[in-house]
Amino acid sequence: NAGVTQTPKFQVLKTGQSMTLQCAQDMNHNSMYWYRQDPGMGLRLIYYSASEGTTDKGEVPNGYNVSRLNKREFSLRLESAAPSQTSVYFCASRPPGGVTEQFFGPGTRLTVL
Amino acid sequence: SQKIEQNSEALNIQEGKTATLTCNYTNYSPAYLQWYRQDPGRGPVFLLLIRENEKEKRKERLKVTFDTTLKQSLFHITASQPADSATYLCALDGTGGGNKLTFGTGTQLKVEL
């Protein structure tokens, strides 16, 4: 199993450009999450999807959109990138049933100039 | 809103000693608390989960305590090794369902020879 995979690993954008961060998991997990991690701020939840076909806002959703394409894939889109969106983005998934841990991908380091 | 505090200063200890990291929280009564390890340039990796009705949990050289009266969790690594050097994050179950987690900012541990 590859676990949680993310593409790309690195990306540089100019202000106003758009892009989509891809995430996929092969563990048959229902729930998937997108976080951003900034120095001194910790991991903050952007959006999550409790199951295929559903998405919901987290703590910092402004400027982002998400798509739960199927059970495996959960993408994060920046429609018009801003320097404040420079961050490291992590995708995570969680197994179904009860209280369980989250499994994280390797992250995407995004710089917006 | 719920707030999680971890010591932002790095903790430096000698190999073989016990490292103790602290996680304090306010304005919330979590049903469970999780600890993760994060190495530079990588996603967090789950270590331990402890429920509110559990006082202590152990896994090999790791021990977690959960004091709901003090609103505090302690994370111990006994017989520490240089390979234990990493940032350790605590996370509490969030409000609003979806098995969301709220993360602390993490404490960096350095184990020296």
Side-chain angles (χ1 to χ4, degrees):
Chain A
N1 286 351
V4 179
T5 56
Q6 292 183 236
T7 55
K9 287 188 178 356
F10 301 94
Q11 184 71 49
V12 178
L13 292 178
K14 294 181 180 178
T15 297
Q17 287 185 316
S18 63
M19 79 160 296
T20 300
L21 280 64
Q22 306 287 353
C23 173
Q25 51 90 12
D26 61 0
M27 297 174 283
N28 202 35
H29 291 174
N30 288 340
S31 301
M32 298 185 73
Y33 308 83
W34 275 106
Y35 295 89
R36 60 177 289 172
Q37 188 173 38
D38 303 291
M41 299 292 291
L43 283 160
R44 292 182 291 169
L45 184 64
I46 305 171
Y47 270 93
Y48 69 100
S49 170
S51 62
E52 183 180 355
T54 68
T55 61
D56 217 333
K57 296 178 180 178
E59 181 186 353
V60 288
N62 291 346
Y64 305 95
N65 285 303
V66 289
S67 295
R68 183 73 183 266
L69 304 171
N70 47 54
K71 191 170 187 178
R72 290 187 64 249
E73 298 171 289
F74 188 37
S75 62
L76 179 72
R77 184 161 177 83
L78 287 70
E79 290 291 352
S80 179
S84 61
Q85 294 178 305
T86 294
S87 187
V88 181
Y89 291 85
F90 289 100
C91 177
S93 68
R94 191 187 69 83
V99 174
T100 60
E101 71 272 27
Q102 293 185 11
F103 292 77
F104 283 81
T108 294
R109 185 173 294 274
L110 175 67
T111 302
V112 183
L113 302 175
Chain B
S1 62
Q2 56 185 286
K3 188 176 177 182
I4 303 171
E5 291 183 350
Q6 294 186 257
N7 193 342
S8 59
E9 292 183 16
L11 177 63
N12 297 326
I13 64 167
Q14 269 192 318
E15 183 179 18
K17 301 292 186 183
T18 296
T20 298
L21 284 67
T22 304
C23 176
N24 295 301
Y25 58 92
T26 56
N27 299 331
Y28 191 56
S29 296
Y32 59 90
L33 186 149
Q34 302 185 18
W35 284 88
Y36 289 77
R37 169 184 173 140
Q38 187 173 23
D39 292 287
R42 294 180 175 267
V45 175
F46 171 77
L47 295 174
L48 280 169
L49 180 152
I50 186 166
R51 290 175 168 76
E52 60 177 338
N53 60 349
E54 298 174 318
K55 296 294 184 187
E56 182 179 297
K57 203 81 167 282
R58 291 177 184 262
K59 179 183 175 182
E60 298 173 351
R61 294 185 295 111
L62 308 180
K63 184 178 84 171
V64 171
T65 62
F66 194 6
D67 190 325
T68 55
T69 301
L70 293 178
K71 294 188 181 293
Q72 180 181 81
S73 174
L74 298 179
F75 177 80
H76 306 273
I77 306 175
T78 58
S80 59
Q81 305 165 0
D84 295 325
S85 298
T87 296
Y88 292 86
L89 310 171
C90 75
L92 278 63
D93 64 309
T95 56
N99 287 101
K100 296 177 290 184
L101 293 175
T102 299
F103 283 84
T105 54
T107 298
Q108 185 178 15
L109 173 66
K110 295 180 182 178
V111 182
E112 299 164 340
L113 294 170

